[in-house]
Amino acid sequence: MNEANEPTRVVNLSQRLDPSSERVGELLNAVRGIANKRLQQWVGNAFEQVNDALFDLAEKAENNAAQMHYFDGMREVRKRRPGIERNFLSAVARKLGDLAHPGKAAAPAAAPSLGTTELTLVAESDLEESLAITSMISKNDARLARDLFAVNQRLSVICGGYKIDDASNPVAPATLSQAFREALQELSADMRVKLIIYKLFDRYVLSLLEELYQEINTELVRAGVLPQLRHGVARGGQARGGSAAAAAGASAAAATMDDGAEISDDLLHTLHALFSARRGSAGGGRAGSAGGAVATGSLPSVNELLGALSVLQSQIVSNNGPINYDDSDDAAALSHEVLQLKTQLLTQIGALRGERPSHVANMDEDTIDLVGMLFEFILEDRNLPAAMQVMLARLQIPYLKAAILNRKMFSHRQHPARRLLDSLAEQAKSWSEESDRDHRLHEKVKSIVDQLLHDFDDDMGIFERLLTDLQQFQDVNKRRSELAEQRVAESARGREKLEQARRRAAREILERIGSQKLPPLIHGVLARAWANHLVLTLLRQGEDSPEFKTALRFIDEFIASTRPANDSTSRQALRQMLPGIERALRQGLANVAFQEQDVERLLGQLHAYYRQQLGEAPAADAADVAATAEEDAAMLAIPDSIQPVIDRRTAPTDILEEEELAEAPPDSPEWYQVQALQPGNWLEFTLADEAPARAKLSWISPMSGRYLFVNRRGLKVADYAPRELAGLFADGKARVLAANALFDRAMTAIVGKLSQAGDDAPADGATPTDTE
């Protein structure tokens, strides 16, 4: 094509086609055929390389577990490959077909592009996946801007003038990446395997898109769609905002990465591209710039930056008195200082060199801004108590120095400075005044902060030493809290077993009594003394033991002994039962530690009762037995903790159905939130008239389903039934604290914030032009 040699003119809007016309259908079918042929070949080539790449990594794996991840991934990819390829190609074809329906075509695709990165507070693996996709999209968007612009404009004409842009173009890098990500969801392989597949998709598909766009443009030009289109970009703009050169440079750096490098290395390239875009969208100038660009030689060196930071650090140590960590004014002042550090740094460099520089080098400015956003996040992070936010925020200068000395802090999870901050935040998350009455944790965090402020100059080893010190502190306290937590859980488990045994004993007795009206003495013996015997037998021998079955048979015989003995046969049967009843009673009462005199007294009352049953007791004795039984009935009544469990008037089958219905979960988000909780999750409870409490889910009862919470010392804070906990969530009185590391949460938020800023930037100024 000789598009560049044609004069520039605005598109003639009369060239727009009716999307429903037969001509549009032919053109879209042609585009779809080209795309399907190319993408099918390229995706196939990418998957052909997966096996070799994973085998090489398996050979180099550091241990057997990692090696098995790669071998398992190879098997899973071979199994799922046909479905993944089919779903990917079908999604692209479907989106191209939707262009014939302008309402659908005009709707932007939900792609994780540089400007629409779907990064939220997600799991670590999701963050890595999103960053990998964001990196390859940003790289290819900048490289393919010219050819993709032409495809967008020509597809817009086909769609009747509806604007097709990078977000809604089915063959744009962002949309293709999203379609591939969705197709890859059925692959259950380890995230390391998926990241290798994304790299190969980038290399064998996205890097070749220029050929696809040129073929599509050639076909549409041959069909007479904008044959003399030129790609015009307004000065100061770029696709998706910011500096195209800077984004392309960062993307090129990412493209040269070794396949064996950590995927998190892509984070730095992604962040630098986003910062470059932000600087470009701010009007082509730098933040803090005074009167335009200055000579490169006037930019502060790394040594100057470190020197100025050391001066500011010493000023904090010497000038600041003790901080009241509960004072919100201190938190507000620190927040202001975090945002103003770049200005203070430039001022300090000016004091040292005699002239104030207008700005710093791009890389240094990105580092300063990134550390500033990290500590701004810390001051806003609701997962940290306010007092701990204030303490950790004082580390901004030491961490900025560390980032300038070693920029890998942001890309390597094992960097000592990063691990130290994550560990401090993890300890701080569980802190509260109530759980730290001896101030051990508070003083330890304060001590580490003070040591970094006083002692850190350029020796990065201090982070490793402080991390080791903190880990030793954690280990000691963890052992203490685990012992206390174990005792709390065992106590709760014991109480629940006892309660379950008491409920079972009550059920067995009341089911056998049914609707019968027993004499008070017999009823009292069963409901109190024999119920206790059943409970202990259940706890000691279990429900399948012969002892428990014998105890149940006694209940049947004891109840049967109350039936009227009106003839010689029934009286003879009763006399035969009585010795066994007495033996069982003696054993059962001894099991529940009845005193000997109490046992004899009770048996004496039973002898009198049975003599009456057999017609052998005088009338006066019968009256005495009835009176004594009435007196003992109150003492032998079923305890309040057992009686409400089963209503004597309710049939056993109805009781079972009611309990099953009570366990059916209500259909609410809060209920599912409760069901998703796992032991080890930390929550914050904010109850009326109580200070906020932070507690860890320690144990979920397999019997009652209750949730037991302890504080950082392992002491019980509360226990809730699932529905009670769901109610607290619904009322905003309970919330789950993030489980992932502080650094990961911060990086997720920062990338999302920068990407959103890219979305809000002015349009790139590209205008379609055509010459007749």
Side-chain angles (χ1 to χ4, degrees):
M1 293 184 296
N2 297 319
E3 296 171 357
N5 298 325
E6 300 295 336
T8 300
R9 290 183 58 188
V10 178
V11 173
N12 183 353
L13 296 182
S14 64
Q15 293 184 357
R16 294 173 179 172
L17 304 179
D18 180 0
S20 62
S21 68
E22 183 178 341
R23 177 62 172 156
V24 168
E26 293 174 357
L27 293 174
L28 287 178
N29 283 335
V31 172
R32 184 161 46 192
I34 293 170
N36 185 72
K37 178 182 177 182
R38 293 274 189 174
L39 292 174
Q40 184 176 22
Q41 177 186 351
W42 294 341
V43 171
N45 292 343
F47 274 108
E48 289 297 327
Q49 304 300 318
V50 171
N51 197 68
D52 291 342
L54 294 178
F55 187 82
D56 291 342
L57 289 170
E59 286 191 325
K60 300 173 184 176
E62 64 274 14
N63 54 53
N64 290 336
Q67 189 176 62
M68 287 306 301
H69 279 305
Y70 293 122
F71 283 138
D72 290 342
M74 291 165 61
R75 288 190 290 270
E76 179 72 7
V77 169
R78 284 197 295 270
K79 179 180 177 182
R80 301 294 183 186
R81 173 183 170 180
I84 294 172
E85 292 185 13
R86 182 171 59 253
N87 291 340
F88 169 68
L89 295 172
S90 297
V92 176
R94 185 173 59 253
K95 291 178 183 294
L96 283 167
D98 288 343
L99 294 180
H101 310 284
K104 292 185 179 180
S113 66
L114 184 64
T116 57
T117 310
E118 48 179 41
L119 295 179
T120 55
L121 297 184
V122 293
E124 182 178 294
S125 59
D126 295 332
L127 172 61
E128 289 181 332
E129 185 177 22
S130 295
L131 288 175
I133 293 172
T134 300
S135 177
M136 62 189 189
I137 291 173
S138 62
K139 171 176 60 179
N140 289 286
D141 272 352
R143 181 177 62 84
L144 299 166
R146 177 184 178 85
D147 291 311
L148 182 57
F149 173 83
V151 173
N152 289 342
Q153 300 310 310
R154 291 186 170 108
L155 289 179
S156 296
V157 169
I158 293 176
C159 291
Y162 284 95
K163 182 181 179 182
I164 302 298
D165 55 18
D166 294 1
S168 55
N169 188 334
V171 292
T175 317
L176 291 175
S177 298
Q178 178 67 3
F180 189 70
R181 181 182 193 177
E182 292 173 355
L184 210 60
Q185 285 180 353
E186 67 177 78
L187 188 71
S188 60
D190 184 82
M191 180 52 64
R192 285 174 287 187
V193 173
K194 284 190 175 183
L195 296 177
I196 295 301
I197 296 175
Y198 281 127
K199 283 182 176 293
L200 294 172
F201 180 77
D202 185 19
R203 179 178 298 173
Y204 288 95
V205 179
L206 298 186
S207 66
L208 301 177
L209 286 178
E210 188 174 11
E211 299 176 22
L212 172 63
Y213 298 160
Q214 289 176 353
E215 186 173 354
I216 291 174
N217 280 321
T218 299
E219 176 64 24
L220 294 178
V221 166
R222 187 186 62 78
V225 180
L226 300 182
Q228 297 171 317
L229 173 70
R230 293 191 60 194
H231 178 196
V233 181
R235 192 177 73 170
Q238 73 157 68
R240 296 190 181 277
S243 167
S251 301
T256 61
M257 283 180 52
D258 185 338
D259 276 349
E262 287 190 35
I263 190 64
S264 52
D265 285 342
D266 288 348
L267 175 61
L268 287 180
H269 301 290
T270 300
L271 288 169
H272 290 318
L274 291 170
F275 278 121
S276 296
R278 187 173 72 161
R279 280 193 295 270
S281 66
R286 297 170 176 271
S289 177
V294 293
T296 304
S298 67
L299 295 177
S301 66
V302 168
N303 286 335
E304 282 184 291
L305 289 171
L306 293 174
L309 286 170
S310 293
V311 172
L312 294 175
Q313 184 174 328
S314 64
Q315 290 174 355
I316 291 175
V317 172
S318 60
N319 296 338
N320 284 6
I323 291 182
N324 176 5
Y325 294 110
D326 298 322
D327 190 343
S328 60
D329 291 338
D330 283 322
L334 268 175
S335 179
H336 179 74
E337 290 177 16
V338 165
L339 298 174
Q340 294 299 315
L341 181 59
K342 186 196 297 187
T343 301
Q344 295 174 8
L345 183 57
L346 291 174
T347 300
Q348 186 59 51
I349 292 173
L352 293 174
R353 62 156 55 174
E355 61 175 0
R356 184 183 186 279
S358 60
H359 58 268
V360 297
N362 281 356
M363 184 68 73
D364 294 327
E365 183 177 9
D366 290 351
T367 303
I368 294 169
D369 289 344
L370 186 52
V371 173
M373 295 178 79
L374 167 64
F375 281 86
E376 185 181 357
F377 175 85
I378 288 174
L379 284 171
E380 295 173 351
D381 185 14
R382 292 184 62 207
N383 293 284
L384 298 174
M388 289 294 172
Q389 287 177 324
V390 171
M391 271 202 288
L392 295 183
R394 298 179 69 200
L395 292 174
Q396 183 183 11
I397 290 178
Y399 268 80
L400 178 52
K401 291 171 69 175
I404 292 174
L405 287 166
N406 186 347
R407 301 182 197 275
K408 289 187 176 181
M409 180 177 74
F410 289 100
S411 58
H412 287 198
R413 288 194 174 88
Q414 297 306 310
H415 192 286
R418 178 168 178 163
R419 290 173 60 205
L420 176 62
L421 189 59
D422 281 341
S423 295
L424 286 169
E426 185 62 25
Q427 288 294 297
K429 180 174 72 174
S430 64
W431 180 87
S432 67
E433 289 186 2
E434 179 64 25
S435 67
D436 192 36
R437 290 183 177 181
D438 56 4
H439 305 294
R440 290 170 57 86
L441 176 57
H442 187 280
E443 291 304 314
K444 173 54 68 175
V445 175
K446 183 177 182 297
S447 169
I448 291 174
V449 171
D450 287 343
Q451 287 182 70
L452 281 173
L453 285 171
H454 282 84
D455 302 336
F456 177 52
D457 187 18
D458 57 5
D459 176 18
M460 294 292 289
I462 190 174
F463 291 99
E464 190 73 59
R465 294 191 294 273
L466 291 174
L467 177 61
T468 300
D469 179 46
L470 179 60
Q471 287 173 337
Q472 291 173 348
F473 173 83
Q474 289 176 227
D475 290 341
V476 171
N477 285 277
K478 184 178 180 182
R479 285 193 293 271
R480 291 175 181 168
S481 65
E482 283 179 345
L483 287 173
E485 188 175 340
Q486 184 177 356
R487 286 194 293 268
V488 169
E490 288 175 352
S491 176
R493 190 178 295 110
R495 285 195 303 272
E496 291 223 334
K497 284 184 177 179
L498 175 59
E499 181 64 20
Q500 186 181 49
R502 295 173 74 185
R503 289 169 180 264
R504 174 67 183 277
R507 178 189 295 273
E508 295 290 352
I509 292 171
L510 295 178
E511 283 181 353
R512 283 166 170 77
I513 293 175
S515 59
Q516 300 177 64
K517 181 69 173 178
L518 296 180
L521 179 61
I522 304 299
H523 187 278
V525 170
L526 290 176
R528 191 62 175 262
W530 203 253
N532 288 339
H533 172 59
L534 283 179
V535 168
L536 289 178
T537 304
L538 277 169
L539 293 175
R540 292 172 181 172
Q541 279 82 32
E543 63 180 352
D544 295 325
S545 64
E547 291 84 356
F548 185 66
K549 293 176 181 177
T550 299
L552 293 180
R553 281 198 300 271
F554 170 81
I555 301 174
D556 295 327
E557 293 176 0
F558 201 39
I559 293 174
S561 71
T562 66
R563 293 171 188 150
N566 298 324
D567 53 48
S568 59
T569 303
S570 58
R571 285 193 291 271
Q572 181 62 29
L574 179 57
R575 288 190 181 96
Q576 291 177 350
M577 293 172 59
L578 292 179
I581 289 175
E582 182 172 345
R583 282 195 304 273
L585 262 179
R586 286 187 180 275
Q587 293 175 356
L589 295 176
N591 186 40
V592 294
F594 260 55
Q595 297 295 322
E596 183 64 28
Q597 61 268 24
D598 294 331
V599 173
E600 295 301 329
R601 176 170 175 262
L602 178 58
L603 289 176
Q605 293 173 0
L606 285 172
H607 288 159
Y609 169 75
Y610 287 122
R611 284 198 303 272
Q612 178 188 350
Q613 284 285 90
L614 294 169
E616 299 173 356
D621 290 346
D624 292 340
V625 168
T628 304
E630 290 291 344
E631 292 175 1
D632 289 343
M635 178 189 74
L636 297 175
I638 296 178
D640 291 341
S641 58
I642 294 180
Q643 181 68 42
V645 175
I646 302 175
D647 188 333
R648 292 176 56 187
R649 294 168 297 179
T650 306
T653 53
D654 294 334
I655 294 163
L656 293 174
E657 290 175 3
E658 286 178 5
E659 289 191 356
E660 289 174 1
L661 288 174
E663 294 174 2
D667 188 13
S668 68
E670 292 79 17
W671 177 265
Y672 294 117
Q673 189 177 9
V674 170
Q675 297 303 305
L677 290 176
Q678 298 292 330
N681 290 152
W682 280 88
L683 279 71
E684 183 180 59
F685 295 97
T686 310
L687 305 180
D689 303 324
E690 294 183 22
R694 289 170 178 251
K696 181 179 73 172
L697 175 57
S698 173
W699 178 66
I700 303 174
S701 169
M703 292 179 283
S704 68
R706 294 186 73 85
Y707 288 64
L708 174 67
F709 293 91
V710 299
N711 62 18
R712 58 175 298 274
R713 296 168 61 192
L715 303 180
K716 179 180 175 180
V717 172
D719 72 290
Y720 295 105
R723 286 187 176 180
E724 293 174 328
L725 194 52
L728 292 175
F729 280 131
D731 294 340
K733 296 178 180 178
R735 65 183 182 89
V736 181
L737 301 178
N740 53 337
L742 170 71
F743 235 100
D744 285 337
R745 297 200 308 273
M747 291 300 100
T748 300
I750 289 170
V751 174
K753 188 173 183 179
L754 290 172
S755 299
Q756 184 62 43
D759 281 347
D760 296 338
D764 58 33
T767 56
T769 57
D770 184 56
T771 301
E772 296 290 332

